[in-house]
Each structure stands twice: as C-alpha cells, then as structure tokens.
Amino acid sequence: MREPSSVGFEANGVVSPTPIPPQPLLERLKDYGQEDAFALWDELTPDERHSLVKDIESLDLSRIDRIIRCSLRSQGLPTAAIEPVPESSVSTVEDRTQEERERWWKMGLKAISDCKVAVLLLSGGQGTRLGSADPKGCFNIGLPSGKSLFQLQAEKILCVQRLAAQANESSASSVQIHWYIMTSPFTDEATRKFFESHKYFGLEAEQVTFFQQGTIPCVSKDGRFIMETPYRVAKSPDGNGGVYSALKYSKLLEDMASKGIKYIDCYGVDNALVRVADPTFIGYFIDKGVAAAAKVVRKAYPQEKVGVFVRRGKGGPLTVVEYSELDPSLASAVNQATGRLRFCWSNVCLHMFTLDFLNQVANGLEKDSVYHLAEKKIPSIHGYTTGLKLEQFIFDAFPYAPTTALFEVLREEEFAPVKNANGSNYDTPDSAKLLVLRLHTRWVVAAGGFLTHSVPLYATGVEVSPLCSYAGENLEPICRGRTFHAPCEITF
Ligand code: UTP
C-alpha cells in the first residue's frame, strides 16, 4: 500500500494539500449508502483523486438511488397473470389482402414524401456478445459487397426516399427521411467518425442526427456501486429503452415536431434484413390510427429464446414477456382455433410510434424508475465480477400506449439478427449473411434471373443492393434473362 498522500481537492477542483475526500461529496454518498466508492482514496494519485471526484459529481445520486431501490424492490414481485394478445389486434400475413398491402404501401410512401416520417435507430449497445471493438453498425457481415450494417440501412433510406418521390411525383431532393441515431458513450465517437469517413453513405449530413443515451452505474446484488477502477464507477448504457429519456433531454422531440414529423419508425442496429421506414408498415400504422405498433414474427418453437407480446391481466395492456419469465406450460400451450402457440408473437425490436406518444412516454417511464436487472460480468477492480446492469427496454413503453397493434412479418424476409460472434450456434454474422443471400436470390429468380455458383447454393447466393430494390420490387429490368455468378452483388 502506498503512503497516504497529503493532497486533496478544493471545490473548484484545484489540487490542495488535504488528505481527505471532499466532505460534502462523501456525506452525499453516505446518504445513499455508496461511500465505499471512496474506499481506496488514500491509495490514489492526485490525478486519480481528481478523476474520482469528477466521476461521482457527474452522477445524479438521488435519481440513481431511486432507480436502484425501486428496481431491486420490484424484483421477483408477482406480476399480473398474462393473457394472449387478442387475434383482432394482430394483422397476420395470411389475413392481409393484396388490396390492403397496396393501399398501405401507397399511404406509407405518401407520409414519407410529406416528410412526416422519421427513423430512429437504437445503436448504443456494447455488442459484447459479438465481440467487435467497433460499434455493431460498423460491422461487415461478409456480404459480397462488404457493406456494413450502417451502409445497408442508409441505402434502404435512400431507396425508400426515391420510391416516395416517384410515387408522389415530388422532386427527389424534396423527400428526406430524418435519421435519428442513438449512440452511447461506448459507441458515439466511432459511429460519428464512421459516418463522416463514409460521407454519410450518400445521405445528406444534415438529415442525420446523433444523440447519446445515458449510462447508469452497475451495482452489486445489494445495490452498491461496482468500481471499475479505484477512481471510476463501472457504468453501462441504460438499455435501449433509455431512448425515451435521451430524446427528451436532447430536446429531439421538439426537433421532430418542428420538422413536422408525426410517425417514428424505430429499430435495433443488429438486423441485417431490417426494412427501414417500411412504407407498408407505416401505412398500416396510419390506417389503424394507433399510438404504438410492433412488427412481430411467429415464434418458431415453444422453447425459442425470444420475448413474446402478451396482455398483462385480463384486458390489460400490451407488453413483452421475456422467454425466461414464461412458464414452460404456457410457452407450449396451443390455441385450438388457430393451431398457433397461444403466446406466439415474438418481439424483434421493430416498432412504430406517434410523436405524441413518444412525448407522453418520455415523461411516464422516467417517473416509474423501475429498470430491468440483468446479471452480467462487470469489469471491476477485482477482475470480472458478477453484478447487475440496470436497463430499460424499448418495449417498456407499450403498457403506456392507449392503442396498439401488431403486424406479423415473415422472419425470412425481415429478421436476420447479428448478436453472437461467428462460431456460435445462432444469430451470427454468417447466419445473417446467408439469410440475406437467400432472400435476395429468391427475388432475383422471381424477377427472371439465373444463377451459377461454384459452391453449393445453400452456402451462397446473390446480394441485391438496397439502392436497386427495397423489398424485391423493380428487379425485372435488371435481372430478366441474365445469369449471375454467385456470390456477387447486383447493383445498377
Ligand atoms: P442487444 O442487447 O441485443 O445488443 O440490443 P447489444 O447490447 O448491442 O449487445 P450485447 O447484449 O452487449 O451482446 C438490441 C438493440 O438495442 C440497442 C443495441 O445497439 C441493439 O440495436 N441497445 C442496447 C441500445 O441502443 N442501448 C442499450 O443500452 C442496449
């Protein structure tokens, strides 16, 4: 142990010759039972003491204390019994008519060309399972084009802007979808640099707004801060549901209102098949007149590790139950009338909200203060230690919605998750790549194209640039009668 140093801090942060931690700050920490954060004070260098004081000062201790207490207290409390989502609030693939699909597509394109739609990307996660040093959106999943997830999404926005302009006879430059990108301190700088160095992938720089979500201390099971170093509290992003307070505190809800935005399409960065600003979903949402909606896929099998939409209590609000919370007998129960699992509508983080609802929920969720607790390995002064991360989830908003609707999509068309590193059993860059290649190969064949391939077709395929086609449309002029050697990218 080093000799206790004889320097301390004055209020303005100037190094002064006192050996003790700043008393008012220490007293505040004591009020919340967090004084251990200063336990190693005597061993710190003046610079480290300065960092520790700054770190603690940056925390809103009373808010954090409220969140920790409320979240720990509500853990394990009985919740209202769950009910399946009524059939009437789900638009299933089989029930949708061609006429409806076309009508919704046109309505969506009209809303886009009237600049009423914004896209909100959740990109603040740490991507620990994927294990890449860069933000997940920068990841190249190995498609023939080598495009990153961010580029695929940007090009879908460019494509849908063009489709909206064409459908409504507007000039191409007058249709702009604003893209709000939520980062966190872990992803912010690298994300901004990536966009800058790729010239925003062809989008206008001013149509992209980055904003950061908050972080929250990681705690032990008894609610004490875990120290990442002797002079820094371990913190993690406050979950993708942190988007509501982040939007509020960055004043972006006002920004949206000033731009005339009414509908917000919200999604997670790690889906290689995401249909960003899908006109059909937007049209459906507007037609239904609901406050919040989600795209869902049918649960593949009872034990699949996905959260499902349910109603909490009889006639209660729509919410998501994680697979770990769903009793196995309920997970495998079948609805005799439809032949589907009773709880079959899986959440895939594809949501649509009205701006009015986002305003309402940004205030409501904050007051609630109940966060989900996830047991994780946290980097600490004692090496990796088991602790709790506190998170809100984007779907926590659903119980606040006065009206909701679910829209079934086919997972092979819209869901290619990138969660785990290659070599894992599922949801890897490789599995996502194959899902993209398979879908695009089907589009090309349906448009009259042919494929040759020197590796088996199940392991390869063609990639269609989102600049050419958003969802398989308009490919005939490019593909009919042509032969493509897989793997390759098809572009203009
Ligand atoms: P996940 O929890 O599945 O991914 O988030 P992750 O956090 O990136 O990766 P792991 O769990 O550490 O391996 C789903 C979506 O929510 C976003 C992610 O960026 C992803 O788009 N997210 C997650 C946030 O925006 N903020 C968060 O605090 C957590």
Side-chain angles (χ1 to χ4, degrees), residues 143-171:
L143 288 168
S145 66
K147 286 175 187 169
S148 62
L149 293 169
F150 282 140
Q151 181 165 1
L152 295 173
Q153 294 162 22
E155 291 186 354
K156 283 182 199 176
I157 293 179
L158 283 166
C159 185
V160 86
Q161 285 181 175
R162 195 189 65 231
L163 292 170
Q166 281 165 356
N168 295 287
E169 292 171 3
S170 319
S171 71

Side-chain angles (χ1 to χ4, degrees), residues 121-131 136 182-184 187 213-214 236-243 267-271 349 376 389 391-394 418-420:
L121 167 59
L122 307 170
S123 185
Q126 289 171 290
T128 34
R129 286 168 289 169
L130 186 61
K136 255 192 202 174
M182 183 174 78
T183 62
S184 67
T187 62
Q213 70 176 105
S236 63
D238 53 1
N240 58 20
V243 68
Y267 68 101
V269 71
D270 47 10
N271 176 1
C349 197
K376 294 266 166 91
K389 282 189 179 179
E391 290 184 319
Q392 288 190 310
F393 295 146
I394 185 83
V418 183
K419 299 281 181 194
N420 303 306

Side-chain angles (χ1 to χ4, degrees), residues 88-99:
S88 58
S89 49
V90 188
S91 163
T92 61
V93 171
E94 69 212 16
D95 287 346
R96 290 201 278 275
T97 63
Q98 177 74 12
E99 182 274 327

